[in-house]
Amino acid sequence: MIESIQKFGTLTPALARPLPEDGYELISGHRRLAACQVLGIETMPVIVRDMTDDEAVIAMVDANLQREHILPSEKAFAYKMKLDAIKHQGKASVQVAEKLLSVEKVADDAGESKDQVRRYIRLTYLIPELLSMVDDGKIAFNPAVEISYLEQSEQRVLLNAMELNDCTPSHAQAIRLKKLSQEGVL
């Protein structure tokens, strides 16, 4: 990004919102700002919009999801944040139908199926070590989703077993682990 900004300038403006007391909060464009700072560039284009906290979260998530390279964990937490913000924008007591529409909205905006969005959000239930293994490609996506249903203590035992045996569970094995956990016999 530094090379691109040095060569062409900042092509896309950042997004900020005014703070109630004074100043601005940067919503999107943190990497562009950091690149400009490294290059000693003191100004960059910024669009300033009045936004609620939820609108700011949705705008930030949408901007981050447009990045070329995004880790599964980043996508998982981005979808979760956006879903929570969309739900929060509604009434305090959100109905089941509205929750389903929220997942559909996140999925439509991302160009994914609602089931795939739900699977990504399930990754947020993994312990950090396992989630890192998903990001590193050491655990495949589908087995990781199944593992996310295990209790954290069970995930730690699984992690130890994986390290001891230098292996990761297949999708079928992960499904069996989930079933055993749900039956309380894992």
Side-chain angles (χ1 to χ4, degrees):
M1 181 171 288
I2 291 172
E3 291 174 17
S4 174
I5 289 176
Q6 189 172 31
K7 191 172 185 179
F8 303 110
T10 307
L11 300 175
T12 308
L15 179 63
R17 70 177 179 166
L19 293 172
E21 53 278 357
D22 193 29
Y24 299 90
E25 177 184 27
L26 194 60
I27 304 301
S28 166
H30 294 86
R31 293 171 193 248
R32 282 167 275 167
L33 175 62
C36 286
Q37 289 171 333
V38 166
L39 293 168
I41 299 171
E42 294 183 11
T43 61
M44 64 182 245
V46 177
I47 296 170
V48 178
R49 288 202 180 118
D50 283 321
M51 290 186 233
T52 65
D53 289 345
D54 292 329
E55 290 168 336
V57 166
I58 291 168
M60 181 265 309
V61 167
D62 286 345
N64 283 342
L65 288 173
Q66 291 176 17
R67 289 192 348 237
E68 192 171 327
H69 301 288
I70 183 165
L71 296 173
S73 64
E74 293 173 323
K75 197 179 257 196
F77 283 105
Y79 287 161
K80 187 175 187 330
M81 287 175 65
K82 184 169 182 177
L83 182 62
D84 290 346
I86 289 171
K87 287 179 185 177
H88 189 256
Q89 283 182 325
K91 301 172 196 132
S93 60
V94 179
Q95 300 298 321
V96 173
E98 290 173 329
K99 288 182 182 180
L100 293 175
L101 291 175
S102 298
V103 172
E104 288 175 4
K105 169 91 173 107
V106 173
D108 287 346
D109 289 351
E112 303 252 21
S113 73
K114 62 183 185 250
D115 290 336
Q116 187 69 355
V117 167
R118 284 190 187 106
R119 283 190 284 270
Y120 270 106
I121 291 172
R122 274 307 311 174
L123 295 180
T124 66
Y125 293 88
L126 289 171
I127 60 174
E129 297 88 345
L130 292 175
L131 187 56
S132 179
M133 292 177 78
V134 175
D135 285 343
D136 295 341
K138 295 176 182 173
I139 299 178
F141 180 82
N142 287 329
V145 170
E146 302 301 327
I147 291 167
S148 74
Y149 287 92
L150 304 181
E151 298 292 330
Q152 285 194 359
S153 59
E154 294 169 332
Q155 290 183 36
R156 295 223 173 271
V157 170
L158 175 61
L159 177 63
N160 289 337
M162 289 167 44
E163 290 171 347
L164 181 67
N165 295 294
D166 193 27
C167 63
T168 60
S170 67
H171 189 222
Q173 290 169 327
I175 289 170
R176 281 190 302 231
L177 291 169
K178 174 185 169 185
K179 184 176 183 229
L180 291 170
S181 174
Q182 289 172 335
E183 292 171 356
V185 294
L186 180 62

